[in-house]
Amino acid sequence: MTNFYERNSTLSTDQNNPMKEPRFVGIPTFMRTPLVTDLNELDIALVGVPYDGAVTNRPGARHGPQAIRAASALMRSIHHVHKFSPYDLCRVGDVGDIKLSRMYEHEEVVKEIEQQYQCLIRANITPLSAGGDHSVTYPILKAVAAERPVALIHIDAHTDTWDEFSGSKFMHGSPFRRACEEGLIDPNRTIQIGIRGAQETSEGWDYSLQQGMRVVFMEEFTKLGVAHVIDEARRLVGDQPTYISFDVDGLDPVYAPGTGTPEIGGITTIEALELLRGLRGLNLIGGDVVEVAPPFDPSGNTALVGATLMYEILCLLAEARVGFKNQ
Ligand code: MN
Ligand code: MN
């Protein structure tokens, strides 16, 4: 039996199916899924958000979606631990990149991203996105959490709850401050994992703690171990609708050097995979992988890491979508 993926490949025949083709051929889409324009055909949309106009330091994440698409050709179907293919559970497609017609105006960027995600939410589609800098998660949450606050599992070296930078409240160090202020995330059901690195002020860390978020600094992560952190995350979010936001700078720059704000002493890739796999069965309603900056990624490994994290999150979202839809 063919799945959505197989039916929708451009040249869809048994002999010519991108999943069965050599992975070095074809036009890059996320995970080699079909490029989809009809939202009625989709359960899970893979979306690129090529915007890095809100970084506080090194730019480059605008090139993230293209690099992740290219690297994601290395992904396959059946997860070697979960033993299922997300493409057998859900209709998954690449809907292309968010269109920005006024990329130099931050407020307009927020509106344009939000509006395009609203189209996905209205069509009852689960979004899985590739950034872009982390500022893009705020407008995504505005669409995803429009009806009710969501729980948040946030992996990052930084809490991203700073108030402003250089006079702007819309930047990649503030998405979760804005989301908290607007009631898009429930701070009591928010966990921030992998936090580290010196700051000029402790304001962001303080805000997260004052709001009741669970902040797992890297030293505590190492001491507790992945299994304990998984338990805590699961207990915290419960059965509430939960969003996963993964900033690749949460990983150690040994594994993910291609990012704008690297901090040494971070999460390893195997820990990240274990952490994500420990989130099976939660009521997951969307996710993103952000801050992959190809100009700092000469080996391409950060893009591969980003693509793999996306695939891992895709498996979680596909299973959650089937499980929670049937309840
Ligand atoms: Mn971040
Ligand atoms: Mn970060």
Side-chain angles (χ1 to χ4, degrees), residues 120-150:
L120 298 175
I121 300 304
R122 274 199 297 272
N124 190 28
I125 291 170
T126 301
L128 174 55
S129 311
D133 71 46
H134 219 157
S135 70
V136 306
T137 302
Y138 166 55
I140 294 172
L141 285 171
K142 280 168 89 76
V144 167
E147 300 289 318
R148 73 285 181 250
V150 295

mmCIF file of all heavy atoms in Angstrom, residues 120-150:
data_model
loop_
_atom_site.group_PDB
_atom_site.id
_atom_site.type_symbol
_atom_site.label_atom_id
_atom_site.label_comp_id
_atom_site.label_asym_id
_atom_site.label_seq_id
_atom_site.Cartn_x
_atom_site.Cartn_y
_atom_site.Cartn_z
ATOM 1 N N LEU A 120 -2.202 27.480 8.230
ATOM 2 C CA LEU A 120 -1.954 26.070 8.539
ATOM 3 C C LEU A 120 -2.850 25.614 9.688
ATOM 4 O O LEU A 120 -3.443 24.530 9.634
ATOM 5 C CB LEU A 120 -0.479 25.862 8.915
ATOM 6 C CG LEU A 120 0.559 26.199 7.833
ATOM 7 C CD1 LEU A 120 1.968 26.067 8.394
ATOM 8 C CD2 LEU A 120 0.386 25.284 6.625
ATOM 9 N N ILE A 121 -2.958 26.447 10.730
ATOM 10 C CA ILE A 121 -3.745 26.065 11.902
ATOM 11 C C ILE A 121 -5.227 25.939 11.526
ATOM 12 O O ILE A 121 -5.911 25.003 11.939
ATOM 13 C CB ILE A 121 -3.554 27.095 13.044
ATOM 14 C CG1 ILE A 121 -2.080 27.184 13.453
ATOM 15 C CG2 ILE A 121 -4.427 26.759 14.253
ATOM 16 C CD1 ILE A 121 -1.439 25.883 13.862
ATOM 17 N N ARG A 122 -5.711 26.879 10.726
ATOM 18 C CA ARG A 122 -7.111 26.814 10.279
ATOM 19 C C ARG A 122 -7.379 25.525 9.508
ATOM 20 O O ARG A 122 -8.473 24.987 9.540
ATOM 21 C CB ARG A 122 -7.448 28.020 9.395
ATOM 22 C CG ARG A 122 -7.897 29.253 10.168
ATOM 23 C CD ARG A 122 -8.647 30.227 9.263
ATOM 24 N NE ARG A 122 -7.814 30.735 8.198
ATOM 25 C CZ ARG A 122 -7.042 31.828 8.300
ATOM 26 N NH1 ARG A 122 -7.033 32.519 9.419
ATOM 27 N NH2 ARG A 122 -6.308 32.220 7.292
ATOM 28 N N ALA A 123 -6.377 25.054 8.787
ATOM 29 C CA ALA A 123 -6.527 23.808 8.020
ATOM 30 C C ALA A 123 -6.233 22.573 8.883
ATOM 31 O O ALA A 123 -6.129 21.461 8.354
ATOM 32 C CB ALA A 123 -5.598 23.841 6.805
ATOM 33 N N ASN A 124 -6.110 22.795 10.206
ATOM 34 C CA ASN A 124 -5.854 21.693 11.147
ATOM 35 C C ASN A 124 -4.571 20.933 10.828
ATOM 36 O O ASN A 124 -4.516 19.711 10.875
ATOM 37 C CB ASN A 124 -7.053 20.735 11.181
ATOM 38 C CG ASN A 124 -6.941 19.728 12.314
ATOM 39 O OD1 ASN A 124 -6.317 20.008 13.335
ATOM 40 N ND2 ASN A 124 -7.507 18.553 12.125
ATOM 41 N N ILE A 125 -3.551 21.701 10.479
ATOM 42 C CA ILE A 125 -2.250 21.109 10.142
ATOM 43 C C ILE A 125 -1.272 21.352 11.299
ATOM 44 O O ILE A 125 -1.253 22.430 11.888
ATOM 45 C CB ILE A 125 -1.704 21.740 8.842
ATOM 46 C CG1 ILE A 125 -2.574 21.296 7.661
ATOM 47 C CG2 ILE A 125 -0.240 21.391 8.624
ATOM 48 C CD1 ILE A 125 -2.282 22.041 6.385
ATOM 49 N N THR A 126 -0.496 20.332 11.609
ATOM 50 C CA THR A 126 0.553 20.461 12.625
ATOM 51 C C THR A 126 1.814 21.005 11.956
ATOM 52 O O THR A 126 2.324 20.384 11.020
ATOM 53 C CB THR A 126 0.856 19.080 13.243
ATOM 54 O OG1 THR A 126 -0.340 18.554 13.824
ATOM 55 C CG2 THR A 126 1.939 19.190 14.313
ATOM 56 N N PRO A 127 2.337 22.150 12.429
ATOM 57 C CA PRO A 127 3.535 22.696 11.784
ATOM 58 C C PRO A 127 4.843 22.224 12.433
ATOM 59 O O PRO A 127 4.956 22.160 13.650
ATOM 60 C CB PRO A 127 3.369 24.212 11.996
ATOM 61 C CG PRO A 127 2.604 24.336 13.277
ATOM 62 C CD PRO A 127 1.768 23.080 13.424
ATOM 63 N N LEU A 128 5.808 21.892 11.589
ATOM 64 C CA LEU A 128 7.172 21.608 12.043
ATOM 65 C C LEU A 128 8.098 22.478 11.204
ATOM 66 O O LEU A 128 8.145 22.335 9.981
ATOM 67 C CB LEU A 128 7.495 20.117 11.862
ATOM 68 C CG LEU A 128 8.938 19.699 12.162
ATOM 69 C CD1 LEU A 128 9.391 20.114 13.553
ATOM 70 C CD2 LEU A 128 9.102 18.190 11.965
ATOM 71 N N SER A 129 8.792 23.396 11.861
ATOM 72 C CA SER A 129 9.474 24.464 11.139
ATOM 73 C C SER A 129 10.986 24.395 11.283
ATOM 74 O O SER A 129 11.513 23.907 12.279
ATOM 75 C CB SER A 129 9.000 25.818 11.673
ATOM 76 O OG SER A 129 7.596 25.862 11.738
ATOM 77 N N ALA A 130 11.664 24.975 10.280
ATOM 78 C CA ALA A 130 13.108 25.184 10.336
ATOM 79 C C ALA A 130 13.376 26.676 10.223
ATOM 80 O O ALA A 130 12.926 27.325 9.280
ATOM 81 C CB ALA A 130 13.792 24.445 9.184
ATOM 82 N N GLY A 131 14.083 27.225 11.247
ATOM 83 C CA GLY A 131 14.451 28.637 11.188
ATOM 84 C C GLY A 131 15.693 28.803 10.348
ATOM 85 O O GLY A 131 16.286 27.839 9.888
ATOM 86 N N GLY A 132 15.995 30.022 10.221
ATOM 87 C CA GLY A 132 15.588 31.215 10.900
ATOM 88 C C GLY A 132 16.190 31.350 12.308
ATOM 89 O O GLY A 132 16.611 30.392 12.934
ATOM 90 N N ASP A 133 16.280 32.617 12.721
ATOM 91 C CA ASP A 133 16.705 32.846 14.090
ATOM 92 C C ASP A 133 15.516 32.588 15.028
ATOM 93 O O ASP A 133 14.383 32.398 14.582
ATOM 94 C CB ASP A 133 17.329 34.244 14.273
ATOM 95 C CG ASP A 133 16.323 35.384 14.192
ATOM 96 O OD1 ASP A 133 15.247 35.297 14.823
ATOM 97 O OD2 ASP A 133 16.622 36.399 13.520
ATOM 98 N N HIS A 134 15.779 32.611 16.345
ATOM 99 C CA HIS A 134 14.750 32.160 17.279
ATOM 100 C C HIS A 134 13.580 33.131 17.418
ATOM 101 O O HIS A 134 12.534 32.775 17.969
ATOM 102 C CB HIS A 134 15.369 31.839 18.645
ATOM 103 C CG HIS A 134 14.760 30.632 19.290
ATOM 104 N ND1 HIS A 134 15.391 29.883 20.244
ATOM 105 C CD2 HIS A 134 13.542 30.042 19.119
ATOM 106 C CE1 HIS A 134 14.597 28.889 20.624
ATOM 107 N NE2 HIS A 134 13.472 28.971 19.965
ATOM 108 N N SER A 135 13.738 34.338 16.890
ATOM 109 C CA SER A 135 12.618 35.289 16.968
ATOM 110 C C SER A 135 11.376 34.744 16.256
ATOM 111 O O SER A 135 10.256 35.106 16.595
ATOM 112 C CB SER A 135 13.016 36.634 16.347
ATOM 113 O OG SER A 135 13.150 36.530 14.945
ATOM 114 N N VAL A 136 11.564 33.847 15.293
ATOM 115 C CA VAL A 136 10.413 33.389 14.503
ATOM 116 C C VAL A 136 9.453 32.525 15.320
ATOM 117 O O VAL A 136 8.285 32.359 14.954
ATOM 118 C CB VAL A 136 10.849 32.629 13.230
ATOM 119 C CG1 VAL A 136 11.808 33.484 12.402
ATOM 120 C CG2 VAL A 136 11.467 31.268 13.532
ATOM 121 N N THR A 137 9.924 31.996 16.438
ATOM 122 C CA THR A 137 9.041 31.139 17.249
ATOM 123 C C THR A 137 7.897 31.946 17.869
ATOM 124 O O THR A 137 6.809 31.414 18.092
ATOM 125 C CB THR A 137 9.864 30.411 18.334
ATOM 126 O OG1 THR A 137 10.886 29.650 17.683
ATOM 127 C CG2 THR A 137 9.001 29.462 19.152
ATOM 128 N N TYR A 138 8.152 33.226 18.131
ATOM 129 C CA TYR A 138 7.084 34.053 18.715
ATOM 130 C C TYR A 138 5.857 34.168 17.786
ATOM 131 O O TYR A 138 4.741 33.814 18.191
ATOM 132 C CB TYR A 138 7.660 35.417 19.110
ATOM 133 C CG TYR A 138 6.655 36.490 19.405
ATOM 134 C CD1 TYR A 138 5.642 36.307 20.356
ATOM 135 C CD2 TYR A 138 6.705 37.706 18.721
ATOM 136 C CE1 TYR A 138 4.721 37.308 20.609
ATOM 137 C CE2 TYR A 138 5.787 38.706 18.980
ATOM 138 C CZ TYR A 138 4.793 38.502 19.918
ATOM 139 O OH TYR A 138 3.889 39.492 20.160
ATOM 140 N N PRO A 139 6.019 34.609 16.535
ATOM 141 C CA PRO A 139 4.831 34.632 15.658
ATOM 142 C C PRO A 139 4.252 33.248 15.395
ATOM 143 O O PRO A 139 3.029 33.123 15.213
ATOM 144 C CB PRO A 139 5.330 35.288 14.369
ATOM 145 C CG PRO A 139 6.815 35.312 14.445
ATOM 146 C CD PRO A 139 7.173 35.277 15.880
ATOM 147 N N ILE A 140 5.095 32.211 15.383
ATOM 148 C CA ILE A 140 4.545 30.855 15.218
ATOM 149 C C ILE A 140 3.626 30.546 16.405
ATOM 150 O O ILE A 140 2.510 30.056 16.231
ATOM 151 C CB ILE A 140 5.673 29.799 15.109
ATOM 152 C CG1 ILE A 140 6.472 29.994 13.822
ATOM 153 C CG2 ILE A 140 5.094 28.384 15.174
ATOM 154 C CD1 ILE A 140 7.727 29.117 13.715
ATOM 155 N N LEU A 141 4.085 30.866 17.608
ATOM 156 C CA LEU A 141 3.265 30.606 18.801
ATOM 157 C C LEU A 141 1.991 31.445 18.788
ATOM 158 O O LEU A 141 0.949 31.013 19.280
ATOM 159 C CB LEU A 141 4.076 30.884 20.072
ATOM 160 C CG LEU A 141 5.124 29.828 20.439
ATOM 161 C CD1 LEU A 141 6.001 30.324 21.592
ATOM 162 C CD2 LEU A 141 4.472 28.490 20.796
ATOM 163 N N LYS A 142 2.071 32.650 18.234
ATOM 164 C CA LYS A 142 0.859 33.479 18.160
ATOM 165 C C LYS A 142 -0.243 32.750 17.380
ATOM 166 O O LYS A 142 -1.431 32.872 17.692
ATOM 167 C CB LYS A 142 1.158 34.836 17.497
ATOM 168 C CG LYS A 142 1.789 35.843 18.448
ATOM 169 C CD LYS A 142 2.338 37.052 17.701
ATOM 170 C CE LYS A 142 1.328 38.161 17.515
ATOM 171 N NZ LYS A 142 1.091 38.933 18.748
ATOM 172 N N ALA A 143 0.149 32.000 16.369
ATOM 173 C CA ALA A 143 -0.837 31.236 15.593
ATOM 174 C C ALA A 143 -1.190 29.920 16.283
ATOM 175 O O ALA A 143 -2.359 29.581 16.434
ATOM 176 C CB ALA A 143 -0.282 30.957 14.193
ATOM 177 N N VAL A 144 -0.168 29.210 16.734
ATOM 178 C CA VAL A 144 -0.373 27.879 17.312
ATOM 179 C C VAL A 144 -1.140 27.954 18.631
ATOM 180 O O VAL A 144 -1.939 27.078 18.956
ATOM 181 C CB VAL A 144 1.003 27.191 17.519
ATOM 182 C CG1 VAL A 144 0.887 25.964 18.403
ATOM 183 C CG2 VAL A 144 1.621 26.828 16.185
ATOM 184 N N ALA A 145 -0.892 29.017 19.402
ATOM 185 C CA ALA A 145 -1.481 29.139 20.745
ATOM 186 C C ALA A 145 -2.568 30.212 20.784
ATOM 187 O O ALA A 145 -2.867 30.757 21.845
ATOM 188 C CB ALA A 145 -0.390 29.447 21.762
ATOM 189 N N ALA A 146 -3.160 30.495 19.662
ATOM 190 C CA ALA A 146 -4.179 31.558 19.615
ATOM 191 C C ALA A 146 -5.389 31.224 20.482
ATOM 192 O O ALA A 146 -5.999 32.104 21.084
ATOM 193 C CB ALA A 146 -4.614 31.789 18.166
ATOM 194 N N GLU A 147 -5.716 29.945 20.576
ATOM 195 C CA GLU A 147 -6.930 29.528 21.281
ATOM 196 C C GLU A 147 -6.715 29.330 22.779
ATOM 197 O O GLU A 147 -7.620 29.543 23.572
ATOM 198 C CB GLU A 147 -7.450 28.213 20.689
ATOM 199 C CG GLU A 147 -7.795 28.285 19.218
ATOM 200 C CD GLU A 147 -9.051 29.109 18.982
ATOM 201 O OE1 GLU A 147 -10.011 28.956 19.758
ATOM 202 O OE2 GLU A 147 -9.053 29.919 18.024
ATOM 203 N N ARG A 148 -5.498 28.903 23.147
ATOM 204 C CA ARG A 148 -5.198 28.615 24.554
ATOM 205 C C ARG A 148 -3.681 28.584 24.715
ATOM 206 O O ARG A 148 -2.964 28.333 23.749
ATOM 207 C CB ARG A 148 -5.800 27.278 25.015
ATOM 208 C CG ARG A 148 -5.116 26.031 24.478
ATOM 209 C CD ARG A 148 -5.470 25.796 23.022
ATOM 210 N NE ARG A 148 -4.893 24.627 22.409
ATOM 211 C CZ ARG A 148 -3.938 24.670 21.478
ATOM 212 N NH1 ARG A 148 -3.362 25.802 21.137
ATOM 213 N NH2 ARG A 148 -3.525 23.577 20.884
ATOM 214 N N PRO A 149 -3.200 28.845 25.943
ATOM 215 C CA PRO A 149 -1.742 28.747 26.142
ATOM 216 C C PRO A 149 -1.288 27.311 25.921
ATOM 217 O O PRO A 149 -2.041 26.370 26.171
ATOM 218 C CB PRO A 149 -1.553 29.136 27.609
ATOM 219 C CG PRO A 149 -2.855 29.629 28.097
ATOM 220 C CD PRO A 149 -3.926 29.141 27.175
ATOM 221 N N VAL A 150 -0.064 27.157 25.448
ATOM 222 C CA VAL A 150 0.493 25.819 25.278
ATOM 223 C C VAL A 150 1.623 25.612 26.283
ATOM 224 O O VAL A 150 2.208 26.562 26.795
ATOM 225 C CB VAL A 150 1.025 25.606 23.836
ATOM 226 C CG1 VAL A 150 -0.104 25.664 22.828
ATOM 227 C CG2 VAL A 150 2.128 26.597 23.487
#
